Coordinates of all heavy atoms in Angstrom, one line a residue:
Chain A
R15 N 98.1 20.2 -19.1 CA 98.0 20.9 -17.9 C 98.0 22.5 -18.1 O 98.9 22.9 -18.8 CB 99.0 20.5 -16.9 CG 98.9 21.0 -15.5 CD 100.0 20.2 -14.6 NE 101.3 20.1 -15.2 CZ 102.3 19.6 -14.6 NH1 102.2 19.0 -13.6 NH2 103.5 19.6 -15.4
G16 N 97.1 23.2 -17.5 CA 97.1 24.6 -17.6 C 96.1 25.2 -18.8 O 95.8 26.3 -18.7
Q17 N 95.7 24.3 -19.6 CA 94.8 24.6 -20.7 C 93.3 24.7 -20.2 O 93.0 24.5 -19.0 CB 95.0 23.6 -21.8 CG 96.2 23.8 -22.7 CD 96.1 22.9 -23.9 OE1 95.6 21.8 -23.9 NE2 96.5 23.4 -25.1
Q18 N 92.6 25.2 -21.0 CA 91.2 25.3 -20.8 C 90.4 24.3 -21.7 O 90.8 24.0 -22.8 CB 90.7 26.7 -21.1 CG 89.2 27.1 -20.8 CD 88.4 27.0 -22.0 OE1 88.9 27.0 -23.1 NE2 87.0 26.9 -21.9
V19 N 89.2 23.9 -21.2 CA 88.4 23.0 -22.0 C 86.9 23.3 -21.9 O 86.4 23.9 -20.8 CB 88.6 21.5 -21.4 CG1 88.0 21.3 -20.1 CG2 88.0 20.5 -22.5
T20 N 86.2 23.2 -23.0 CA 84.7 23.3 -22.9 C 84.0 22.1 -23.4 O 84.4 21.5 -24.4 CB 84.3 24.4 -23.9 OG1 84.9 25.7 -23.5 CG2 82.8 24.7 -24.0
L21 N 83.1 21.6 -22.6 CA 82.3 20.4 -22.9 C 80.8 20.9 -23.1 O 80.4 21.8 -22.4 CB 82.4 19.5 -21.8 CG 83.8 19.0 -21.3 CD1 83.8 18.0 -20.1 CD2 84.6 18.5 -22.4
R22 N 80.2 20.2 -24.0 CA 78.8 20.6 -24.4 C 77.8 19.5 -24.2 O 78.2 18.3 -24.2 CB 78.8 20.9 -25.9 CG 79.7 22.2 -26.2 CD 79.8 22.6 -27.6 NE 80.6 23.8 -27.9 CZ 81.9 23.8 -27.9 NH1 82.6 22.7 -27.7 NH2 82.6 25.0 -28.0
C23 N 76.6 19.9 -23.9 CA 75.5 19.0 -23.6 C 74.3 19.5 -24.1 O 73.9 20.7 -24.0 CB 75.4 18.8 -22.1 SG 74.0 17.9 -21.6
S24 N 73.4 18.6 -24.8 CA 72.1 18.8 -25.2 C 71.2 18.0 -24.3 O 71.2 16.7 -24.4 CB 71.8 18.6 -26.7 OG 72.6 19.5 -27.4
P25 N 70.3 18.5 -23.7 CA 69.4 17.7 -22.8 C 68.4 16.9 -23.6 O 68.2 17.1 -24.8 CB 68.7 18.8 -21.9 CG 68.6 20.0 -22.8 CD 69.9 20.0 -23.6
K26 N 67.8 15.9 -22.9 CA 66.7 15.2 -23.5 C 65.7 16.1 -23.9 O 65.3 17.0 -23.2 CB 66.2 14.1 -22.4 CG 65.2 13.2 -22.9 CD 64.8 12.2 -21.8 CE 63.5 11.4 -22.2 NZ 63.8 10.6 -23.4
S27 N 64.9 15.7 -25.0 CA 63.9 16.6 -25.5 C 62.8 16.8 -24.4 O 62.4 15.8 -23.8 CB 63.2 15.8 -26.7 OG 62.1 16.6 -27.2
G28 N 62.5 18.1 -24.2 CA 61.4 18.4 -23.2 C 62.0 18.7 -21.9 O 61.2 19.2 -21.0
H29 N 63.3 18.5 -21.7 CA 63.9 18.8 -20.3 C 64.4 20.1 -20.4 O 64.9 20.7 -21.3 CB 65.0 17.8 -20.0 CG 64.5 16.5 -19.7 ND1 65.3 15.4 -19.3 CD2 63.2 15.9 -19.6 CE1 64.6 14.3 -18.9 NE2 63.4 14.7 -19.1
D30 N 64.4 20.8 -19.1 CA 64.8 22.2 -19.1 C 65.9 22.4 -18.0 O 66.4 23.5 -17.8 CB 63.6 23.1 -18.7 CG 62.9 22.7 -17.4 OD1 63.4 21.8 -16.7 OD2 61.9 23.3 -17.2
T31 N 66.3 21.4 -17.3 CA 67.3 21.5 -16.3 C 68.5 20.6 -16.7 O 68.3 19.4 -17.0 CB 66.7 21.0 -14.9 OG1 65.5 21.9 -14.7 CG2 67.7 21.2 -13.8
V32 N 69.7 21.2 -16.5 CA 70.9 20.4 -16.8 C 71.8 20.4 -15.7 O 72.1 21.5 -15.0 CB 71.6 21.0 -18.0 CG1 73.0 20.4 -18.2 CG2 70.8 20.9 -19.3
S33 N 72.3 19.3 -15.3 CA 73.4 19.1 -14.2 C 74.6 18.6 -14.8 O 74.5 17.7 -15.7 CB 72.8 18.3 -13.0 OG 71.6 18.9 -12.5
W34 N 75.7 18.8 -14.2 CA 77.0 18.3 -14.6 C 77.6 17.6 -13.4 O 77.6 18.0 -12.3 CB 78.0 19.4 -15.0 CG 77.7 20.0 -16.3 CD1 76.9 21.1 -16.6 CD2 78.0 19.5 -17.6 NE1 76.8 21.3 -17.9 CE2 77.5 20.4 -18.6 CE3 78.9 18.5 -18.0 CZ2 77.9 20.3 -20.0 CZ3 79.2 18.4 -19.4 CH2 78.6 19.1 -20.3
Y35 N 78.2 16.4 -13.7 CA 78.8 15.5 -12.7 C 80.3 15.2 -13.3 O 80.4 15.0 -14.4 CB 78.1 14.3 -12.4 CG 76.7 14.4 -11.7 CD1 75.6 15.0 -12.4 CD2 76.6 14.2 -10.4 CE1 74.4 15.2 -11.8 CE2 75.4 14.3 -9.8 CZ 74.3 14.9 -10.4 OH 73.1 15.0 -9.8
Q36 N 81.1 15.1 -12.3 CA 82.5 14.6 -12.5 C 82.6 13.1 -12.0 O 82.3 12.9 -10.8 CB 83.6 15.4 -11.9 CG 85.0 15.0 -12.1 CD 86.0 15.7 -11.2 OE1 85.9 15.4 -10.0 NE2 86.8 16.4 -11.7
Q37 N 83.1 12.2 -12.8 CA 83.3 10.8 -12.3 C 84.7 10.4 -12.6 O 85.1 10.1 -13.7 CB 82.4 9.9 -13.0 CG 82.4 8.4 -12.5 CD 81.4 7.5 -13.1 OE1 80.9 7.7 -14.1 NE2 81.1 6.4 -12.4
A38 N 85.5 10.4 -11.5 CA 86.9 9.9 -11.6 C 86.8 8.3 -11.6 O 85.8 7.6 -11.3 CB 87.6 10.3 -10.3
L39 N 87.9 7.8 -12.2 CA 87.9 6.3 -12.5 C 87.7 5.6 -11.2 O 88.4 5.8 -10.1 CB 89.4 6.0 -13.0 CG 89.5 4.8 -13.8 CD1 88.5 4.7 -15.0 CD2 90.8 4.4 -14.3
G40 N 86.7 4.7 -11.2 CA 86.4 3.8 -10.0 C 85.6 4.5 -8.9 O 85.5 3.9 -7.9
Q41 N 85.1 5.7 -9.2 CA 84.3 6.4 -8.2 C 82.9 6.6 -8.7 O 82.7 6.5 -9.9 CB 85.0 7.7 -8.0 CG 86.5 7.6 -7.4 CD 86.5 6.9 -6.1 OE1 85.7 7.2 -5.2 NE2 87.4 6.0 -5.9
G42 N 82.1 7.0 -7.8 CA 80.8 7.5 -8.2 C 80.8 8.9 -8.7 O 81.7 9.8 -8.4
P43 N 79.8 9.3 -9.5 CA 79.7 10.7 -10.0 C 79.6 11.7 -8.8 O 78.9 11.4 -7.8 CB 78.5 10.7 -10.8 CG 78.2 9.3 -11.2 CD 78.7 8.4 -10.0
Q44 N 80.2 12.8 -9.0 CA 80.2 13.9 -8.0 C 79.6 15.1 -8.7 O 80.0 15.6 -9.7 CB 81.5 14.3 -7.5 CG 82.4 13.1 -6.8 CD 81.8 12.9 -5.5 OE1 81.6 13.7 -4.7 NE2 81.6 11.5 -5.2
F45 N 78.6 15.7 -8.0 CA 77.8 16.8 -8.5 C 78.7 18.1 -8.6 O 79.4 18.5 -7.7 CB 76.6 17.1 -7.6 CG 75.8 18.2 -8.0 CD1 74.9 18.2 -9.0 CD2 75.9 19.5 -7.2 CE1 74.0 19.3 -9.3 CE2 75.1 20.6 -7.5 CZ 74.2 20.5 -8.6
I46 N 78.7 18.7 -9.8 CA 79.5 19.9 -10.0 C 78.6 21.2 -9.9 O 78.8 22.0 -9.0 CB 80.1 19.9 -11.4 CG1 81.0 18.8 -11.6 CG2 80.9 21.2 -11.5 CD1 81.7 18.7 -12.9
F47 N 77.5 21.2 -10.7 CA 76.5 22.3 -10.7 C 75.4 22.0 -11.4 O 75.3 21.0 -12.3 CB 77.1 23.7 -11.0 CG 78.0 23.8 -12.2 CD1 77.5 23.3 -13.4 CD2 79.1 24.4 -12.1 CE1 78.4 23.4 -14.5 CE2 80.1 24.5 -13.2 CZ 79.6 24.0 -14.4
Q48 N 74.2 22.7 -11.3 CA 73.0 22.6 -12.0 C 72.5 23.9 -12.6 O 72.7 25.0 -11.9 CB 71.9 22.1 -11.0 CG 70.6 21.8 -11.7 CD 69.5 21.4 -10.6 OE1 69.0 22.2 -9.9 NE2 69.4 20.0 -10.5
Y49 N 72.0 23.9 -13.8 CA 71.5 25.0 -14.5 C 70.0 24.9 -14.8 O 69.6 23.9 -15.2 CB 72.2 25.3 -15.7 CG 73.6 26.1 -15.5 CD1 74.7 25.4 -15.1 CD2 73.6 27.4 -15.5 CE1 75.9 26.1 -14.9 CE2 74.8 28.2 -15.2 CZ 75.9 27.4 -14.9 OH 77.0 28.1 -14.6
Y50 N 69.3 25.9 -14.5 CA 67.8 26.1 -14.8 C 67.6 27.5 -15.1 O 68.0 28.4 -14.4 CB 67.0 25.6 -13.5 CG 65.5 25.8 -13.7 CD1 64.8 25.1 -14.7 CD2 64.8 26.7 -13.0 CE1 63.4 25.3 -14.8 CE2 63.6 26.9 -13.1 CZ 62.8 26.2 -13.9 OH 61.4 26.5 -14.1
E51 N 66.8 27.7 -16.2 CA 66.4 29.0 -16.7 C 67.6 29.9 -16.9 O 67.7 31.1 -16.4 CB 65.4 29.7 -15.8 CG 64.1 29.0 -15.8 CD 62.9 29.8 -15.0 OE1 63.3 30.6 -14.1 OE2 61.8 29.5 -15.4
E52 N 68.7 29.2 -17.4 CA 70.0 29.9 -17.7 C 70.8 30.5 -16.5 O 71.8 31.3 -16.7 CB 69.7 31.1 -18.8 CG 69.1 30.6 -20.0 CD 68.7 31.7 -21.0 OE1 69.7 32.5 -21.2 OE2 67.6 31.9 -21.4
E53 N 70.4 30.0 -15.3 CA 71.1 30.4 -14.1 C 71.6 29.2 -13.4 O 71.0 28.1 -13.4 CB 70.2 31.3 -13.2 CG 69.9 32.6 -13.8 CD 69.3 33.5 -12.9 OE1 69.0 33.1 -11.7 OE2 69.0 34.7 -13.3
E54 N 72.7 29.3 -12.7 CA 73.3 28.3 -11.8 C 72.4 28.2 -10.6 O 72.4 29.2 -9.8 CB 74.7 28.6 -11.5 CG 75.4 27.5 -10.6 CD 76.8 27.8 -10.3 OE1 77.7 27.8 -11.2 OE2 77.1 28.0 -9.0

Side-chain angles (χ1 to χ4, degrees):
Chain A
R15 189 171 45 182
Q17 284 188 317
Q18 179 264 347
V19 68
T20 297
L21 308 178
R22 296 176 176 81
C23 172
S24 292
K26 182 178 171 61
S27 178
H29 285 185
D30 57 8
T31 301
V32 172
S33 300
W34 287 92
Y35 290 78
Q36 180 195 66
Q37 186 176 19
L39 201 61
Q41 300 295 317
Q44 298 290 317
F45 176 79
I46 302 174
F47 44 53
Q48 183 185 80
Y49 277 84
Y50 172 68
E51 293 187 337
E52 302 180 48
E53 291 191 357
E54 182 182 295

